[in-house]
Amino acid sequence: MTEEKKVQKRKVLAKWLKENILRLGPTFIKIGQQFSTRVDILAQEYVDQLSELQDQVPPFPSEIALETVKEELGAPLNDIFERFDQEPIAAASLGQVHRAKLKGQEVVVKVQRPALKDLFDIDLKNLRVSD
């Protein structure tokens, strides 16, 4: 196999890995983020794809984010904020950020991904190695 074909194959596999890490959720995204900095042990094609996990994580549904904020604050968003943008301005492995207006000031509200602790507990239990 030529070097060019090897590089192409690594690119395909690296993209597949990144896409599957995204499907697996926050715990694995965090692990992928850590590996994205390990140029000493991973081929550049993998580093390039895993680096996208640093700043290109898809958001979770806005309806869930709005409901989470409502539950956490104990009141409808319209009672608290003058404006709350439904679409997030950024998303990451642990949550996302929405613009809002509170008492005349522009603010951002960080919203944690739903059931994050439960997801971490399940993932860590599954990752645990038995003696």
Side-chain angles (χ1 to χ4, degrees), residues 9 20 24 27 32 41 52 60 63 70 73-74 76 92 112 114 126:
K9 187 173 182 177
N20 281 283
L24 288 169
T27 304
I41 60 173
E52 291 182 13
F60 56 93
E63 300 78 30
K70 177 184 168 189
L73 299 179
Q112 187 173 333
N126 290 333

Side-chain angles (χ1 to χ4, degrees), residues 11 14-16 18-19 44-53:
K11 283 182 179 181
K15 183 173 178 151
W16 176 88
K18 179 197 70 178
E19 289 170 354
Q44 190 62 47
E45 295 81 11
Y46 288 92
V47 171
D48 292 344
Q49 284 294 314
L50 294 176
S51 293
E52 291 182 13
L53 298 174

